[in-house]
Amino acid sequence: MWHHLIWILVLWLLSGITTANQVPQRASEVALIGTNRTLVCNITSVELTVWMFNNKDQLSQGLTIFTPSQYALDVRNDDTQMALTVITADEDDEGLYSCQDQGNPVMEFILTIEIPPTLKFEFSNSIHSTNGTVDVTFTEETAVQCIARGSKPLVSLRWEVDGRGAVGEVATNNSRDDERITVSTLRYIPNVGDKTLACITGGQQVVLSKKVEAKINVMYAPKCSLLISNETTNEFRLFCRCEANPPPNNYGIYVNDSLQSTEKEVFISSQSPAVVFCNASNIIGADTTDPVELGEFHVGQPISGGIIALIVCVLILLILMIALVIVFLQRRKVKKHQDSHGRTLATCEASKIPLPVGGEQGKIEDMSNPSSVPLIDQSSQKAEPSEQMNKEVTEGKGDPSKESPQKAEPSEQNKENTDDTSDPSKVPLMDPSSQRDVPSEQDKDMTNPGEGEEWKAKHGDGDDDEDV
């Protein structure tokens, strides 16, 4: 019995020693001033959980909050976590928060409050600033200060020109933490194309970077050139072109060392040689061009605007003429193709129309049944007279006694056709091309001029052949 009691007492003492030596978990938390921040602790008992501030001020017991206007509690994850929310945190809420479970510290949180700075530029008295625009001078060193006040912790500062890192000497002066002032001075030489200058903060966790920006107006003295052109054969155009900021307020064009004009443009005679130059000035400085010697006809200067306009007009007219020629040729080609196609169709249609011929008189006896009218084969009608004619002309032979029976056969055939005209199906139709293929009297004479009369004696005048 006593042995059991002694053993229980030893275990209780050992457990107390182990709990006393337990090291709580520690975490760092950062809150932006004026916002809420929640701290979460793992627990085993809701009723026995206590929140402490700086290990001396008890904030809660279980779910009871002693200052509800400043803190809030809630239980999460099936009573295994308790969350403490710091409401509208300020600098007085910065410190150590500890969570104790059954009298033992479980977790500790170090809360830090961040405060954003106010940021602005400061310029020396030699730099003029109007409506957020700073006037600086090209090639002259410019000193600009960026001041960040009231930040916690102190911020870092960097510079940008037109979104790029500024090139120049930067000096930063951090004051004491209680003053919370950071000053950065930039010394750089502006370039002509510079447009904006910016100062940007850094070094804080929850406070976003702040940026102050100013437009810069880079002023520089005039840089001039004298443009000379031949407007006509009798005069030169002199134009003094200058780049400057601000624009030049004084111009001078000189001819043979004498002031010719106080404007930026003048016309002078080209009949005699001359030496010309120009100058201009603004509040920053002045510039004078190199002298240029002009002869009677100044060669090598830029082409005048009138000549350029004339060349452009000629080129445009040439392009239009070429385009019109191309369109005309295309239309002519299309029209020619259409005409050729039309003639082809007309020929094809003509070759398909039969011409009815009846007997020796060529009268149409009956066309009520066109399908019964026979067509004469063109190839047979063309080949027979051509072969016979060529044979007789080539051999120079002709026997009237032998030719007469051949001449009589068509007449008998015609007679038979005449007698049968009452039957429309027996009336032959002649192809128009067969009539054209019968050689005329002139063709016979042209084929063999010496035998023209002999041909007529043998074959007749050809009237009978037309009736076939």
Side-chain angles (χ1 to χ4, degrees):
M1 183 66 181
W2 291 103
H3 294 287
H4 291 288
L5 293 176
I6 295 173
W7 180 246
I8 292 173
L9 180 61
V10 171
L11 291 177
W12 180 78
L13 291 174
L14 290 175
S15 63
I17 295 173
T18 303
T19 304
N21 293 332
Q22 182 178 357
V23 178
Q25 298 180 10
R26 177 166 291 192
S28 297
E29 299 288 339
V30 180
L32 176 63
I33 190 169
T35 62
N36 297 342
R37 192 65 178 180
T38 300
L39 312 176
V40 181
C41 176
N42 297 322
I43 61 173
T44 59
S45 174
V46 174
E47 291 78 8
L48 299 178
T49 299
V50 176
W51 282 92
M52 302 289 293
F53 178 62
N54 289 332
N55 290 328
K56 59 180 181 179
D57 298 329
Q58 184 175 351
L59 304 178
S60 68
Q61 176 66 56
L63 292 176
T64 303
I65 287 289
F66 301 143
T67 53
S69 61
Q70 191 173 358
Y71 303 100
L73 283 175
D74 65 282
V75 179
R76 304 176 181 178
N77 295 334
D78 298 331
D79 296 343
T80 60
Q81 290 182 335
M82 180 176 288
L84 174 69
T85 301
V86 181
I87 301 173
T88 315
D90 58 21
E91 292 187 75
D92 293 336
D93 295 319
E94 192 174 64
L96 177 64
Y97 292 83
S98 60
C99 171
Q100 297 180 3
D101 185 10
Q102 299 181 22
N104 300 310
V106 179
M107 297 189 69
E108 294 180 345
F109 302 90
I110 300 175
L111 181 62
T112 302
I113 306 300
E114 285 191 351
I115 304 174
T118 58
L119 200 62
K120 72 172 186 176
F121 282 128
E122 287 190 2
F123 303 95
S124 61
N125 295 331
S126 60
I127 298 178
H128 180 68
S129 177
T130 56
N131 298 325
T133 301
V134 182
D135 294 331
V136 296
T137 303
F138 176 61
T139 70
E140 292 185 6
E141 185 179 79
T142 300
V144 184
Q145 281 189 339
C146 179
I147 302 176
R149 288 186 172 93
S151 65
K152 183 180 181 303
L154 292 177
V155 296
S156 60
L157 299 174
R158 62 186 178 89
W159 294 87
E160 286 185 353
V161 175
D162 292 340
R164 305 182 306 272
V167 178
E169 179 183 351
V170 178
T172 302
N173 179 21
N174 290 325
S175 64
R176 299 192 309 269
D177 289 342
D178 56 352
E179 294 180 355
R180 299 179 182 177
I181 298 177
T182 302
V183 179
S184 179
T185 303
L186 172 67
R187 297 181 180 274
Y188 89 113
I189 298 176
N191 294 316
V192 172
D194 292 348
K195 301 296 181 183
T196 59
L197 179 66
C199 176
I200 305 171
T201 65
Q204 293 180 303
Q205 295 185 40
V206 296
V207 176
L208 299 178
S209 295
K210 298 192 67 175
K211 178 179 180 180
V212 61
E213 187 175 76
K215 295 180 180 179
I216 53 179
N217 178 36
V218 182
M219 301 183 297
Y220 52 94
K223 182 64 177 177
C224 301
S225 60
L226 183 61
L227 302 181
I228 306 171
S229 59
N230 298 101
E231 293 297 320
T232 67
T233 58
N234 297 322
E235 63 180 2
F236 290 122
R237 174 178 176 264
L238 307 181
F239 183 80
C240 190
R241 185 177 66 181
C242 301
E243 294 182 1
N245 185 27
N249 50 11
N250 292 308
Y251 282 96
I253 298 179
Y254 294 81
V255 178
N256 295 327
D257 294 330
S258 297
L259 181 62
Q260 185 75 19
S261 175
T262 57
E263 302 294 330
K264 64 173 66 175
E265 181 181 34
V266 71
F267 293 87
I268 65 172
S269 173
S270 61
Q271 300 303 315
S272 59
V275 177
V276 297
F277 64 90
C278 75
N279 61 20
S281 63
N282 62 8
I283 60 174
I284 305 300
D287 185 45
T288 301
T289 64
D290 294 331
V292 177
E293 183 175 355
L294 300 179
E296 183 175 352
F297 295 101
H298 193 62
V299 182
Q301 294 300 319
I303 301 176
S304 65
I307 297 177
I308 294 177
L310 179 61
I311 293 175
V312 172
C313 291
V314 171
L315 291 176
I316 293 175
L317 289 176
L318 182 60
I319 292 172
L320 290 176
M321 291 178 63
I322 293 174
L324 290 175
V325 171
I326 293 174
V327 172
F328 174 75
L329 293 177
Q330 289 290 340
R331 290 185 176 179
R332 184 177 178 183
K333 183 178 179 180
V334 171
K335 185 176 180 182
K336 185 177 179 181
H337 177 72
Q338 291 177 348
D339 293 344
S340 175
H341 184 65
R343 288 194 298 270
T344 302
L345 291 177
T347 303
C348 293
E349 292 295 333
S351 63
K352 295 178 181 179
I353 300 175
L355 297 177
V357 180
E360 294 180 354
Q361 303 300 324
K363 297 181 179 180
I364 301 175
E365 298 293 339
D366 187 7
M367 292 295 293
S368 60
N369 188 7
S371 61
S372 63
V373 179
L375 295 177
I376 297 175
D377 189 6
Q378 294 181 4
S379 60
S380 62
Q381 289 288 71
K382 292 180 182 180
E384 185 174 351
S386 299
E387 181 178 0
Q388 182 178 0
M389 180 182 68
N390 292 335
K391 183 177 180 181
E392 291 176 356
V393 173
T394 303
E395 296 179 0
K397 298 178 182 181
D399 189 353
S401 61
K402 296 181 180 180
E403 294 297 332
S404 56
Q406 297 178 0
K407 184 115 178 119
E409 291 178 1
S411 299
E412 294 177 0
Q413 183 179 0
N414 292 338
K415 185 177 181 180
E416 293 174 0
N417 293 337
T418 304
D419 296 336
D420 296 336
T421 54
S422 60
D423 187 1
S425 62
K426 296 181 180 181
V427 178
L429 295 179
M430 179 173 290
D431 192 341
S433 60
S434 63
Q435 293 184 357
R436 291 194 298 268
D437 291 337
V438 176
S440 64
E441 183 177 353
Q442 185 179 357
D443 293 336
K444 295 172 184 178
D445 294 341
M446 292 297 293
T447 304
N448 196 343
E451 297 180 358
E453 297 297 331
E454 183 179 354
W455 174 271
K456 294 180 180 180
K458 292 180 179 181
H459 301 280
D461 54 3
D463 294 335
D464 295 335
D465 294 337
E466 294 177 357
D467 296 331
V468 177

